[in-house]
Amino acid sequence: MALAYPEALPAFDSTASCERSQACFDGHVKPFTVGVEEELMLLDPLTLELAPVSARLLSAAGGDPRFREELPAAQIEILSPVCENATEIQEALVRARRDLLEVAGGAVRLAGAGTHPFAPAEGAISTGDRYVGIAEEYQWSARRGLAWGLHVHVAIPGAQRALAVHNALRTHLPELAALAGNSPFHEGLDTGLHAVRPKLAEGFPRQGIPPAWDTWQAYADFLSWGSRTGAFAANGRQLWWEVRLHPGFGTVEVRVCDQPATAAESAALAAVIQALCSRLTSEHDAGILAPTAPRERIEENRWRALRHGIEGTLLDCRTGETTTTRERVTDLLRGLESHAERLGSGTAFQVAWKMLEETGSQRQRRIAATNGGDLRSVLDTLAARLETELAFADLEVSG
C-alpha cells in the first residue's frame, strides 16, 4: 500500500478529532513500520536548469500511485510503500527512480538535493487545484518555494507513546538537520549555510520546531481551532513543522531532512529516524524519557545546525553545555545502532556513518571548489550519483 495522504479527511469537532486521532495510533498491528516521501528535481538534460514538466511526466506514468505532483512544477514526489525496514525502503526507491527515468525517456534528468544550486529564486508552480490554492494564499512564499525535502513516517504503537515520542523528537531535529544537510547553494551563490532549504521553507507559516503537546486534547483543539477559523485544515496537512503527528496515517512524520542524492542515503536517514523512534518509545515505556525541551532552546540549536552543519556546536537544552555537533551526532548514531539492527534496518543504517564523514553539503562545496566554482558541475555530479546507483543496484541493496 502506498504511503499517501487520503484524498480528503472529514471535518470534525475537537472531541471527535481527539478520539479519531488517537485511534489511528492505537490501531497499529505492527509497530515502527516506516515509509518515506522523496522530492526529486526535474532537470533539462542539456542545461541542467529546472524543467517544469511534472504534469507531463505524471500523465505519462498513467496514474502510478508512487508518483505525485508537488508545489514546484519542476519537482516530482516519490512515495514508498509502508515498509518493515529501511532496506525495503531503499529497494522501493531504486525501483521507483528507475521506472520514472524510463517513463521520462531521456526528456529529463533527476537529481536529489535540498535546493537547485543556480536556479532563479522564483519558479513555475504546479497547476493542480491544491497548489493553485497555495499559490493564491501564500504568494511570494509559494513562488520562492523551490525546496526539496525527504519526509519519513514511522508508526508508533499507541497514542500516548506517539505524543511523547513527538515531543522528544523535537530535541533531536538539529542533529538530524546537520547530518542531512544538502543545500549550501541558492541562486548561484554559496549561502554560507550548511542547509538553506529550511530557511526558504520559513516563508510559509507553521514551520520549523513545533510546539510540544501536553495532551491529545490540546492537539485536537488546535486542529479544530484552525479549521473553525479557516486558518488551516483540520486534517493537519498544512502543519508544515519539521516533525508532526499525522492524524490520517497514525504516524510521526519527520520533515527536517534535505533531499539526499541517492536512495541509499534516503534509506539511511529513514533507518536513523526509525531507530530513534524505537529508542524514544523504549525510554517512554521505562519512564526515563528526558523532559520536554523548550522550543526556543531547540531553535537555537536548529540555527547552529543550519549554519555550521556537522562542523559546528550544539548546546545542551537543559544545562547549556557546548558539544561539537559531530560528537553529538556520533553519540546519537552509536546509541541507535542496536535498535536499527533489531528492526532489520542495520545495513541501511551503516550509510549514515558515511554521511557523517562527508555530508551532502560538504560534498557539494568540495565539487564546486574542485571545478573552479562551477555550480553546473555540482548538479551534474548529483544527477550522475543518482544514475550510477540505479545502473549498479541489483536490488540486493546495501550502502
Side-chain angles (χ1 to χ4, degrees), residues 330-365:
T330 298
D331 289 346
L332 178 68
L333 295 182
R334 283 175 179 160
L336 296 179
E337 273 194 304
S338 62
H339 289 270
E341 290 288 345
R342 180 176 55 79
L343 292 165
S345 295
T347 300
F349 184 94
Q350 293 307 308
V351 177
W353 288 111
K354 297 179 183 179
M355 296 172 71
L356 183 60
E357 292 174 7
E358 183 179 56
T359 64
S361 288
Q362 289 174 320
R363 180 183 294 112
Q364 287 194 42
R365 285 195 169 108

Side-chain angles (χ1 to χ4, degrees), residues 1-12 20 37 58 63-69 77 79 128-131 233-238 246-249:
M1 179 178 68
L3 181 63
Y5 289 112
E7 288 299 316
L9 292 173
F12 35 69
R20 182 180 180 280
E37 299 162 287
L58 290 170
D64 189 321
R66 295 175 298 172
F67 308 127
R68 279 205 326 199
E69 183 179 52
E77 185 174 72
L79 296 92
D129 290 345
R130 181 186 179 200
Y131 300 108
N235 59 22
R237 292 179 71 177
Q238 294 168 311
H246 198 295
F249 297 152

Side-chain angles (χ1 to χ4, degrees), residues 164 167-172 212 283 287-294 298 317-318:
N167 291 344
L169 272 168
R170 296 159 60 255
T171 306
H172 296 287
E283 291 175 355
I288 58 173
L289 196 62
T292 300
I298 304 172
C317 283
R318 183 176 60 85

